[in-house]
Amino acid sequence: MIGSIFLSIIVVLNSRGATQYHVGFPVIGTSAGGPRGAKFFIFIRGAVAVIYFSTNLYYGGMLMAILLRCIFGSAWDNIPNILPLSAGITSANLLAFFIFWFFQMALMFVHPIVLRHIFVIKAFYSTIALVAVLGWAVQQNHGSLGSFHFEGQAVVSGLHLVWPMISAINSICAALCPILINQPDIARYAKRPSQATWSQILGIFVSKILIMFLSAATTSATQGFLGTSYWNVWDLYNAILTTYWGPGARAGVLFACFVSVNRYIYPIIALTAVNSMQGMVLAILASNAGTNALPAGADMSGLLPRYINIVRGQIICGILGPLLFPWKIIADAKSFLTFLSSYTVFLMPICGIMVVDYWLVRRGNLHVASLYSRDAGTPYTYWKGWNIRAMVAWLCGTAFVIHGVAGALDPSLTNQASKNMYKLGFLLSFLVGSAVYYVSCLIFPVPIYPEGKYDVPKTWEYMAGSEGFFEGESVDTIRLNHGAITGIKSGGEAEKVSPLASEKEIV
């Protein structure tokens, strides 16, 4: 609950600018970092997106393997494994991985406005499926959720609970850390700011708590009759199918809606597992597309807008996914989790800088035309395209916590204070980056508007009323690199428009 509160606050703060000016992360990041500094931020976020995309492909592939086992039964189990043990994956699971990857690639061509409908479907379908599995597990465990005491669990209390609690909060926050940065890529499509406020607060708060409870409760209940604590969802479903699988269960997968006789409980069990597998597969497909592939595509289009649009960027991300061999990355779960959590240290200072730049430094005022320009006199050019204030703030926010990563991997490398700072990495890196950037802007103020516009009011979101344009300006006035972005000709004929331009600007 505490982690979800932090996430809800930050995601709303970093969505505001995009809802008012309808520009994505690669563009709005220019305000804080400068044209070249923004590319540095984009590169960091894009690298994380590709890695997360790759590992989610593996998760989806493992779930797909269970789903195929439900459908084909022993025929799937009997697929010979021709890969060595060192490969880290079996032939059957590798086949399931690429089947899942095929469906994932198809979503690369779906526009975010259409993709949102898939999110709605998977939200209802997956939740119902997961609740059904929990209900069945409780019934099998004689109506009990279990003791919530798991294998290998250490029970602590009092002062000994403080730092594990803080570490757990940090882990919850780290799971959503990447999408906090590029939240403008999604929020830009909001028709009004309220669409990116309460819906996101409730969405994060309710979903995170619900999923955490369903997961832990299902593991606790199934431990009562399976005898083992399963934390990987595919391991749990595999164990359920192995325990209850049989000819009747396979038939029940197709005809379970017609089965109601108690002695044929096995088909109902199998149906519950398969429905949940379908829900989980759908959930990962949609989430991977919306929170990893789409951000990666938007980020790559921001790095090379002449050659890469969002769809091409997503395709590149999709191709890179299998090439990272995710089954190798997650071979050591502890090191992998530490590796992913370490990205919090690199990403949260960026998020803090962007929030402070919009809310405190510029007071919600952006000049959209200047965001696409490197001409002298524009407010975002800074020093040769770099906002040194932001770069220093990012370095301070990162350096303040990064030393703790070594201690997380090998406790003997750092002292306890360093490890504790790393456990607070999400908040510390965010707060330090924010504070350093704000103080830097107080000492060395940044220009709010282009030269010659000093008399324009700097009250809260004054420019939002015109969506970031001065009187007499429009999309036609935007120019980048002598015509890379040219908007619409006066005669109505469309010219070349950069993928950085928002949908509303193009219209």
Side-chain angles (χ1 to χ4, degrees), residues 16 19 190-200:
R16 180 74 183 189
T19 63
K191 295 180 180 179
R192 54 187 181 276
S194 60
Q195 290 182 332
T197 305
W198 295 110
S199 61
Q200 294 194 111

Side-chain angles (χ1 to χ4, degrees), residues 387-468:
N387 184 358
I388 304 302
R389 308 165 191 79
M391 297 301 106
V392 171
W394 179 82
L395 284 173
C396 291
T398 301
F400 196 75
V401 184
I402 191 65
H403 50 81
V405 177
L409 291 171
D410 186 348
S412 64
L413 294 178
T414 59
N415 58 29
Q416 190 60 44
S418 176
K419 298 170 190 172
N420 290 341
M421 290 177 69
Y422 178 69
K423 293 175 182 178
L424 279 166
F426 179 87
L427 284 178
L428 281 182
S429 56
F430 177 84
L431 293 175
V432 171
S434 302
V436 173
Y437 182 70
Y438 183 62
V439 172
S440 299
C441 291
L442 290 179
I443 300 174
F444 306 101
V446 300
I448 306 300
Y449 298 124
E451 291 181 359
K453 298 290 184 179
Y454 305 113
D455 57 337
V456 178
K458 299 178 183 177
T459 54
W460 172 249
E461 290 187 341
Y462 173 82
M463 292 293 293
S466 60
E467 295 190 356

Side-chain angles (χ1 to χ4, degrees), residues 5-241:
I5 290 173
F6 289 145
L7 289 169
S8 299
I9 293 172
I10 295 176
V11 76
V12 170
L13 291 177
N14 205 32
S15 298
R16 180 74 183 189
T19 63
Q20 293 284 15
Y21 298 96
H22 307 288
V23 291
F25 167 59
V27 179
I28 205 170
T30 303
S31 170
R36 289 190 171 90
K39 290 184 181 294
F40 174 69
F41 293 160
I42 292 167
F43 173 78
I44 295 176
R45 173 61 184 98
V48 176
V50 173
I51 294 174
Y52 267 68
F53 176 84
S54 179
T55 55
N56 273 325
L57 278 180
Y58 178 72
Y59 295 158
M62 294 300 292
L63 291 170
M64 179 63 75
I66 306 299
L67 182 59
L68 293 172
R69 183 189 176 199
C70 293
I71 297 172
F72 297 106
S74 60
W76 178 263
D77 290 333
N78 294 332
I79 293 178
N81 180 33
I82 61 174
L83 297 175
L85 185 63
S86 60
I89 192 171
T90 65
S91 299
N93 287 342
L94 186 63
L95 174 61
F97 174 87
F98 278 104
I99 292 175
F100 180 84
W101 176 81
F102 174 80
F103 287 108
Q104 187 73 73
M105 290 296 290
L107 289 182
M108 303 298 187
F109 302 93
V110 178
H111 194 277
I113 293 179
V114 179
L115 192 64
R116 64 178 179 170
H117 299 301
I118 301 177
F119 273 92
V120 173
I121 295 172
K122 73 99 173 177
F124 283 98
Y125 188 77
S126 301
T127 303
I128 293 172
L130 291 174
V131 171
V133 171
L134 174 60
W136 170 80
V138 170
Q139 187 272 334
Q140 288 295 110
N141 199 36
H142 310 292
S144 172
L145 285 173
S147 63
F148 284 88
H149 287 177
F150 306 104
E151 289 180 289
Q153 172 179 302
V155 180
V156 295
S157 60
L159 293 177
H160 297 289
L161 181 60
V162 174
W163 284 109
M165 183 74 172
I166 292 174
S167 179
I169 294 171
N170 190 67
S171 297
I172 295 295
C173 294
L176 282 186
C177 171
I179 64 172
L180 295 181
I181 308 300
N182 69 283
Q183 187 60 25
D185 287 333
I186 304 299
R188 62 186 284 198
Y189 295 105
K191 295 180 180 179
R192 54 187 181 276
S194 60
Q195 290 182 332
T197 305
W198 295 110
S199 61
Q200 294 194 111
I201 292 175
L202 292 175
I204 291 175
F205 194 74
V206 174
S207 66
K208 292 293 286 186
I209 295 173
L210 178 63
I211 292 301
M212 292 296 174
F213 170 75
L214 289 174
S215 303
T218 303
T219 296
S220 176
T222 54
Q223 181 182 237
F225 57 89
L226 293 179
T228 303
S229 301
Y230 290 101
W231 291 103
N232 280 330
V233 65
W234 55 84
D235 289 335
L236 172 61
Y237 290 159
N238 214 3
I240 292 174
L241 292 175

Side-chain angles (χ1 to χ4, degrees), residues 27-34 357 362 365-366 371 379-380 382 387 437:
V27 179
I28 205 170
T30 303
S31 170
D357 184 76
R362 302 188 180 280
N365 291 299
L366 298 177
L371 289 172
Y380 314 117
Y382 302 110
N387 184 358
Y437 182 70

Side-chain angles (χ1 to χ4, degrees), residues 484-498:
I485 297 178
T486 54
I488 308 298
K489 290 182 178 179
S490 58
E493 181 183 354
E495 291 188 357
K496 182 178 180 181
V497 180
S498 166

Side-chain angles (χ1 to χ4, degrees), residues 265-442:
I265 188 65
Y266 303 110
I268 299 175
I269 295 169
L271 175 70
T272 303
V274 172
N275 281 342
S276 186
M277 296 309 302
Q278 292 171 342
M280 292 297 294
V281 169
L282 177 61
I284 293 181
L285 279 171
S287 298
N288 212 19
T291 62
N292 293 317
L294 180 61
D299 294 344
M300 291 182 192
S301 72
L303 289 174
L304 297 169
R306 283 185 181 274
Y307 309 104
I308 300 177
N309 58 23
I310 293 177
V311 174
R312 292 173 185 171
Q314 291 185 93
I315 293 174
I316 293 173
C317 174
I319 294 174
L320 290 176
L323 298 180
L324 293 180
F325 304 109
W327 48 89
K328 287 287 190 180
I329 295 178
I330 67 173
D332 185 340
K334 180 180 179 181
S335 298
F336 174 65
L337 290 175
T338 302
F339 171 71
L340 290 185
S341 297
S342 68
Y343 270 106
T344 300
V345 177
F346 296 98
L347 291 175
M348 289 316 296
I350 299 175
C351 189
I353 291 167
M354 292 176 62
V355 169
V356 168
D357 184 76
Y358 183 83
W359 286 82
L360 300 180
V361 175
R362 302 188 180 280
R363 293 178 53 80
N365 291 299
L366 298 177
H367 182 226
V368 170
S370 294
L371 289 172
Y372 293 90
S373 174
R374 296 182 185 175
D375 295 337
T378 56
Y380 314 117
T381 303
Y382 302 110
W383 181 77
K384 297 183 179 180
W386 296 86
N387 184 358
I388 304 302
R389 308 165 191 79
M391 297 301 106
V392 171
W394 179 82
L395 284 173
C396 291
T398 301
F400 196 75
V401 184
I402 191 65
H403 50 81
V405 177
L409 291 171
D410 186 348
S412 64
L413 294 178
T414 59
N415 58 29
Q416 190 60 44
S418 176
K419 298 170 190 172
N420 290 341
M421 290 177 69
Y422 178 69
K423 293 175 182 178
L424 279 166
F426 179 87
L427 284 178
L428 281 182
S429 56
F430 177 84
L431 293 175
V432 171
S434 302
V436 173
Y437 182 70
Y438 183 62
V439 172
S440 299
C441 291
L442 290 179

